[in-house]
Amino acid sequence: MDKFFQRAEDKNVAAVAIYEKSGETKAYKDAACTQQFYTSELKNAFIKGAIIVLASSAGYVIPVKYAESSSVGSVYYIKPNSTTATSADIGTLAALADPS
């Protein structure tokens, strides 16, 4: 059985913000979109609860999936389709591979 433990740094944290920058698919740690998540950080944020802050004040979404490919982690989320009101698209934000 796998267990995920909170650490002292997690006390009183409701969620971790993952920022989207318009026109990019990178996962950022800050609102200015200058610091990209590393894979281990993005995985930790997803497991313990994260909220994606969409670019251009478009709102917030919850990631629905986390996956890794070639040591790069990505979170996936559902966003409304801007042209068809009754459909949605799957967005993704990727981290940097952890430094060795």
Side-chain angles (χ1 to χ4, degrees):
M1 171 185 348
D2 290 333
K3 295 180 182 180
F4 301 101
F5 295 96
Q6 291 184 340
R7 297 170 40 156
E9 65 201 28
D10 298 324
K11 185 176 180 177
N12 300 323
V13 175
V16 174
I18 302 169
Y19 293 92
E20 173 194 49
K21 185 175 183 179
S22 185
E24 292 188 12
T25 58
K26 298 176 183 176
Y28 288 100
K29 298 187 234 182
D30 61 323
C33 296
T34 60
Q35 297 179 345
Q36 195 173 350
F37 273 91
Y38 285 109
T39 294
S40 59
E41 296 170 325
L42 189 62
K43 182 178 181 179
N44 186 47
F46 177 81
I47 288 170
K48 294 180 180 175
I51 295 174
I52 296 173
V53 181
L54 298 174
S56 305
S57 301
Y60 304 94
V61 293
I62 303 295
V64 295
K65 177 183 175 181
Y66 173 85
E68 287 182 25
S69 177
S70 301
S71 300
V72 174
S74 297
V75 288
Y76 297 80
Y77 61 96
I78 307 300
K79 61 182 179 177
N81 183 294
S82 58
T83 57
T84 307
T86 58
S87 66
D89 298 321
I90 299 173
T92 182
L93 297 175
L96 292 170
D98 286 330
S100 17

